[in-house]
Amino acid sequence: MSSPVTSRTRVPIQPIALAPIEPPRTSVVAQAAATPDFGPVVFAQTPEAEAVRTTLAGVADQIGSAIRGVSALGDKASFAQVSGRLRAVEKSLASKALSGATLDAQLTHEEKWATGLEMGRSLRLLSQAMAGAMEGLTGAQRREVETAFANIRGALANGVGALPSVRLPPPLPTTNAQGVRLEPNDVELLRFAAGLPKALTGTLQEILRANPGDPMAVLDLIKGKPDPIVELKRLNMMFGESDPAALKKNLSADLGYHGATHEADSKAMLSGFGVRDSGPLFSMLATAREAFKRGARGNDELNPNPMDAASWLHSRLEMPHSLEGLETIRGALPGDQASSVEWPSLAQSVWLGTLASDLYKRSDFNSVLTHNRDGAELMVPLLAARHLGDLDAPENHRIVSLGKRFAHDHQIVPADTMAMLMSFELKSDTPEAKRILAKVADPFAAPSKNGELVFDDAELALLRSKNIAGWPVPSAEGDLERLIGSLAVIVGDAAQYGCEDAAAKYAVALRGPEMGMGLQNPVISSNAFAQLHPDRVAELEAGAIPDMREGAMESAFDGSHKKSVATILAGADVLGPELAQTMAAHLDAARERTAERLPELTALADAKIRAQTGDRPVHYWDVLVPGRGTDPAPLADDVASDVKLVKDAFKVAIEELFKVPAKPFEIEEGVK
């Protein structure tokens, strides 16, 4: 590697850009024609850097020419001309100026971001244009185009592929539906990325390299956070260096708590779908568990995120619930539809999308409304890159692309609850706010396009003022696997609310004075109690209400989720009403397994509390404790002591009754 440039006189130059594209002839190339101006990119005024700039500009020009040539196939243009343009791209990429060593030595961190983003976009546009034109080619022509594209990728892998923000398109061009973008200003996003501290971008770069979609969507997501620097620190903390063998050992101990066979049962289900090697999927789960643990505990710089502890209790067995939903769908599909599905890859996509869906969430209304984007754009690519293998393999690319869609779509349920949370976040009684809430509450009845609800300009402006980019709705869009996979993940999410692990989540991890969203009290929040008993709000605010717990646990588990999911499935008439009824029955069974034992759980916890406190009113059990949310003010000593006592009693009761780990992160440390 040549010595880094030590003296740089910075001068603005013309941006590296695609050559102007002629009027598009296909809808795919119409997307390519909208390529934005990224510049100007500022390079060092050195011969070496100038050589890099000139080479990249030539490559971009040739790619633009190739896109025009591929688009012309629709007009029966000479295939030889198109093939020649692809070979010209290969020739441009053969320059030594594109070697990884040269780029690393001659480009600054900012230049690498800028160049990588643009060249990644250029190649993706070529891939999309090719995907739109390949159907009209003969077998020999198709192989020639595929070979040329593979050679282009190979050359880029030696140079541009070394840049931090590049994700090369797959070997075989495919299209990939993504969630909507919040901020369309790519120039602003590029400048934002270039200004990020290099030391904090390790995990972000890993995500960008693995993401099969538009890298700008990832930057858009990070930029929209209240404090992007804190988000980068949190990503690095949660997914920093670890010992894979130790993580797998800890996961097995967790899933095997009290002799449970969850790991073996899940592997058997995966095998039933034809998944030959489930090891990578459990490695993903081990990584996720460690990330949840680190997030829940925090570090010297970052406060603990209590939602992570609750999310692990929700997620640890959510994947098998999604697989059960997928199996139910498989059994109900007509034979010709069932035989058209690639079940092994679909089962892996469902696992990945389910696991990633809640992996990056906090206990505030906005995060609960937007964490599906975090799961889809950040967590799915990261888990896949670390554990799935070659992401350029067509099957793996498909697994990741569908996994992103499934994580994105899971947000739709429970529809009535999400509409209520949306109302809390919007804090608006305007006509557009009412229209938004109506669409979110009944998404299948609302107009949609490309897997997203359609909002008018006023509605979009209100949503985006709250950093909400849009709202998903499962849709086949010509792809049966996309629809049934989304439904399976949604069903898995809903079913998890009715299982034994959910008792640990609802009764302990998701409740406490430190939690936001009105979740400050045990079993049932003051908000929920007020809704159930509006005539007793004054009593609620005044002090002790010993009987407020009556039916509370049942209310927390009942109604909302079952009703929402049944409504959504009934609306998915692409698969027919019989399947909707089957899925509703499946959810009923999942809920009822635990619901009938909830009074026993509450009574057992109460007995353990009374054994220590006698008849005195107990804060957090008999007396409401004001929620603090993110307020760091400490509780009074007697209140804090009562909160701990109640939570510990519930943990013991849950473990005794349901044999699930209410303190899962302590299992590896030998603490029961």
Coordinates of all heavy atoms in Angstrom, one line a residue, residues 498-542:
G498 N -49.9 -14.6 24.3 CA -50.7 -15.5 25.1 C -50.0 -16.7 25.8 O -50.7 -17.5 26.3
C499 N -48.7 -16.7 25.7 CA -48.0 -17.9 26.2 C -47.4 -17.6 27.6 O -47.4 -16.4 28.1 CB -46.9 -18.3 25.3 SG -45.4 -17.3 25.2
E500 N -46.8 -18.6 28.2 CA -46.3 -18.4 29.6 C -45.2 -17.4 29.7 O -45.1 -16.6 30.7 CB -45.7 -19.8 30.1 CG -46.8 -20.8 30.4 CD -47.1 -21.7 29.1 OE1 -46.7 -21.3 28.0 OE2 -47.7 -22.8 29.3
D501 N -44.3 -17.3 28.7 CA -43.3 -16.2 28.7 C -43.9 -14.8 28.8 O -43.3 -13.9 29.4 CB -42.4 -16.3 27.5 CG -41.3 -17.4 27.6 OD1 -41.7 -18.5 28.0 OD2 -40.2 -17.1 27.3
A502 N -45.1 -14.7 28.2 CA -45.7 -13.4 28.2 C -46.1 -12.9 29.7 O -46.1 -11.7 30.0 CB -46.9 -13.3 27.3
A503 N -46.3 -13.9 30.5 CA -46.6 -13.6 31.9 C -45.4 -12.9 32.5 O -45.5 -11.9 33.3 CB -46.9 -14.8 32.7
A504 N -44.2 -13.4 32.2 CA -43.0 -12.7 32.8 C -42.8 -11.3 32.2 O -42.3 -10.4 32.8 CB -41.7 -13.6 32.5
K505 N -43.1 -11.2 30.9 CA -43.0 -9.9 30.3 C -44.0 -8.9 30.8 O -43.7 -7.8 31.2 CB -43.2 -10.1 28.7 CG -43.3 -8.7 28.0 CD -43.6 -8.9 26.5 CE -43.7 -7.5 25.8 NZ -44.0 -7.7 24.4
Y506 N -45.3 -9.3 30.8 CA -46.4 -8.4 31.3 C -46.2 -8.1 32.8 O -46.4 -6.9 33.2 CB -47.7 -9.0 31.1 CG -48.4 -8.6 29.8 CD1 -48.7 -9.6 28.8 CD2 -48.6 -7.3 29.5 CE1 -49.3 -9.2 27.6 CE2 -49.2 -6.9 28.3 CZ -49.6 -7.9 27.4 OH -50.2 -7.5 26.2
A507 N -46.0 -9.1 33.6 CA -46.1 -8.9 35.0 C -44.8 -8.3 35.6 O -44.9 -7.6 36.7 CB -46.4 -10.2 35.7
V508 N -43.7 -8.4 35.0 CA -42.4 -8.0 35.6 C -41.6 -7.0 34.7 O -41.5 -5.9 34.9 CB -41.5 -9.2 35.9 CG1 -40.2 -8.7 36.6 CG2 -42.3 -10.1 36.9
A509 N -41.2 -7.6 33.5 CA -40.2 -6.8 32.7 C -40.8 -5.6 32.1 O -40.1 -4.5 31.9 CB -39.6 -7.7 31.6
L510 N -42.1 -5.6 31.7 CA -42.7 -4.5 31.0 C -43.3 -3.5 31.9 O -43.9 -2.5 31.5 CB -43.7 -5.0 30.0 CG -44.2 -4.1 28.9 CD1 -43.0 -3.6 28.0 CD2 -45.2 -4.7 28.0
R511 N -43.3 -3.8 33.2 CA -43.9 -2.9 34.2 C -42.9 -2.3 35.1 O -41.9 -2.9 35.5 CB -44.9 -3.7 35.0 CG -46.0 -4.4 34.2 CD -47.0 -3.5 33.6 NE -47.9 -4.1 32.7 CZ -48.9 -3.5 32.1 NH1 -49.1 -2.3 32.3 NH2 -49.7 -4.2 31.3
G512 N -43.1 -1.1 35.6 CA -42.2 -0.5 36.6 C -42.2 1.0 36.5 O -42.5 1.6 35.5
P513 N -41.9 1.6 37.6 CA -41.8 3.1 37.6 C -40.9 3.7 36.5 O -41.1 4.8 36.1 CB -41.4 3.4 39.0 CG -41.7 2.2 39.8 CD -41.5 1.1 38.9
E514 N -39.9 2.9 36.1 CA -38.9 3.4 35.1 C -39.5 3.3 33.7 O -38.9 3.9 32.8 CB -37.7 2.6 35.2 CG -37.7 1.2 34.6 CD -38.4 0.1 35.6 OE1 -38.9 0.6 36.7 OE2 -38.3 -1.1 35.3
M515 N -40.6 2.7 33.5 CA -41.1 2.5 32.1 C -42.0 3.7 31.7 O -42.6 4.3 32.5 CB -42.0 1.2 32.0 CG -41.2 -0.1 32.4 SD -39.8 -0.4 31.2 CE -40.8 -0.9 29.8
G516 N -42.0 3.9 30.4 CA -42.9 5.0 29.9 C -44.2 4.4 29.5 O -44.6 3.3 29.8
M517 N -45.0 5.1 28.7 CA -46.2 4.7 28.1 C -47.3 4.2 29.1 O -48.1 3.4 28.8 CB -46.0 3.6 27.1 CG -45.0 4.0 26.0 SD -44.9 2.7 24.7 CE -44.3 1.3 25.6
G518 N -47.2 4.7 30.3 CA -48.3 4.3 31.3 C -48.1 2.9 31.8 O -49.1 2.3 32.3
L519 N -47.0 2.3 31.7 CA -46.7 0.9 32.1 C -46.1 0.9 33.5 O -45.3 0.0 33.8 CB -45.8 0.2 31.1 CG -46.4 0.1 29.7 CD1 -45.4 -0.4 28.7 CD2 -47.6 -0.8 29.7
Q520 N -46.4 1.9 34.4 CA -45.6 2.0 35.6 C -46.1 1.0 36.7 O -45.3 0.9 37.7 CB -45.7 3.4 36.1 CG -47.0 3.9 36.5 CD -47.8 4.6 35.4 OE1 -47.5 4.3 34.2 NE2 -48.6 5.6 35.7
N521 N -47.2 0.4 36.6 CA -47.7 -0.4 37.7 C -47.8 -1.8 37.3 O -47.9 -2.2 36.1 CB -49.1 0.2 38.2 CG -48.8 1.3 39.2 OD1 -48.6 1.0 40.4 ND2 -48.8 2.5 38.8
P522 N -47.9 -2.7 38.3 CA -47.9 -4.2 38.0 C -49.1 -4.6 37.3 O -50.2 -4.2 37.6 CB -47.7 -4.8 39.4 CG -48.4 -3.8 40.3 CD -48.0 -2.5 39.8
V523 N -49.0 -5.6 36.4 CA -50.0 -6.3 35.7 C -50.9 -5.4 34.8 O -51.1 -5.7 33.7 CB -50.9 -7.0 36.8 CG1 -52.0 -7.8 36.0 CG2 -50.1 -7.9 37.6
I524 N -51.3 -4.3 35.4 CA -52.2 -3.4 34.6 C -51.8 -2.0 34.9 O -51.6 -1.6 36.0 CB -53.7 -3.7 34.9 CG1 -54.6 -2.9 33.9 CG2 -54.0 -3.4 36.3 CD1 -56.0 -3.3 34.0
S525 N -51.7 -1.1 33.9 CA -51.3 0.3 34.1 C -52.5 1.1 34.6 O -53.7 0.7 34.4 CB -50.8 0.8 32.8 OG -51.8 1.0 31.9
S526 N -52.2 2.3 35.1 CA -53.3 3.2 35.5 C -54.1 3.6 34.3 O -55.3 3.8 34.4 CB -52.7 4.4 36.2 OG -51.7 5.1 35.3
N527 N -53.4 3.7 33.1 CA -54.2 4.1 31.9 C -55.2 3.0 31.6 O -56.4 3.3 31.3 CB -53.2 4.2 30.7 CG -52.6 5.5 30.7 OD1 -53.0 6.5 31.4 ND2 -51.5 5.6 29.8
A528 N -54.8 1.7 31.6 CA -55.7 0.6 31.3 C -56.8 0.5 32.3 O -58.0 0.3 32.0 CB -54.9 -0.7 31.2
F529 N -56.5 0.7 33.6 CA -57.5 0.6 34.6 C -58.5 1.7 34.4 O -59.7 1.5 34.6 CB -56.8 0.7 36.0 CG -57.8 0.5 37.1 CD1 -58.2 -0.7 37.5 CD2 -58.4 1.6 37.8 CE1 -59.1 -0.9 38.6 CE2 -59.3 1.4 38.8 CZ -59.7 0.2 39.2
A530 N -58.1 2.9 34.1 CA -59.0 4.0 33.9 C -59.9 3.7 32.7 O -61.1 4.1 32.8 CB -58.2 5.3 33.7
Q531 N -59.4 3.0 31.7 CA -60.3 2.7 30.6 C -61.3 1.6 30.9 O -62.4 1.7 30.5 CB -59.4 2.2 29.4 CG -58.6 3.4 28.8 CD -57.5 2.8 27.8 OE1 -57.5 1.6 27.5 NE2 -56.7 3.7 27.3
L532 N -60.9 0.7 31.8 CA -61.8 -0.4 32.2 C -62.8 0.1 33.2 O -63.9 -0.4 33.2 CB -61.0 -1.6 32.7 CG -60.1 -2.4 31.8 CD1 -59.3 -3.3 32.5 CD2 -61.0 -3.1 30.8
H533 N -62.4 1.1 34.0 CA -63.3 1.5 35.1 C -63.3 3.1 35.2 O -62.7 3.7 36.1 CB -62.8 1.0 36.5 CG -62.6 -0.5 36.5 ND1 -63.7 -1.4 36.6 CD2 -61.5 -1.3 36.4 CE1 -63.3 -2.6 36.6 NE2 -62.0 -2.6 36.5
P534 N -63.9 3.7 34.2 CA -63.8 5.2 34.1 C -64.5 5.8 35.3 O -64.2 7.0 35.7 CB -64.6 5.5 32.8 CG -65.4 4.3 32.5 CD -64.6 3.1 33.0
D535 N -65.4 5.1 36.0 CA -66.2 5.7 37.1 C -65.3 5.7 38.4 O -65.7 6.2 39.4 CB -67.4 4.9 37.4 CG -67.2 3.4 37.6 OD1 -66.3 2.8 36.9 OD2 -67.8 2.8 38.4
R536 N -64.1 5.0 38.3 CA -63.3 4.9 39.5 C -61.9 5.7 39.4 O -61.0 5.4 40.1 CB -63.0 3.5 39.8 CG -64.3 2.7 40.1 CD -64.0 1.3 40.5 NE -63.2 1.2 41.7 CZ -62.7 0.1 42.2 NH1 -62.9 -1.0 41.6 NH2 -62.0 0.1 43.3
V537 N -61.9 6.6 38.4 CA -60.6 7.3 38.2 C -60.2 8.1 39.4 O -59.1 8.2 39.8 CB -60.7 8.2 36.9 CG1 -59.5 9.1 36.8 CG2 -60.9 7.4 35.7
A538 N -61.2 8.7 40.1 CA -60.9 9.5 41.3 C -60.3 8.6 42.4 O -59.4 9.0 43.0 CB -62.2 10.2 41.8
E539 N -60.9 7.4 42.5 CA -60.3 6.5 43.5 C -58.9 6.1 43.1 O -58.0 6.0 44.0 CB -61.1 5.2 43.6 CG -62.5 5.4 44.1 CD -63.2 4.0 44.1 OE1 -62.9 3.2 44.9 OE2 -64.1 3.8 43.2
L540 N -58.7 5.9 41.9 CA -57.4 5.5 41.4 C -56.3 6.6 41.7 O -55.2 6.3 42.1 CB -57.4 5.3 39.8 CG -56.2 4.9 39.1 CD1 -55.8 3.4 39.4 CD2 -56.4 5.0 37.6
E541 N -56.7 7.8 41.5 CA -55.8 8.9 41.8 C -55.6 9.2 43.3 O -54.6 9.8 43.7 CB -56.3 10.2 41.1 CG -56.3 10.0 39.5 CD -56.9 11.2 38.8 OE1 -57.6 12.0 39.5 OE2 -56.7 11.4 37.6
A542 N -56.6 8.8 44.1 CA -56.6 9.1 45.5 C -55.7 8.2 46.3 O -55.1 8.6 47.4 CB -58.0 9.1 46.0

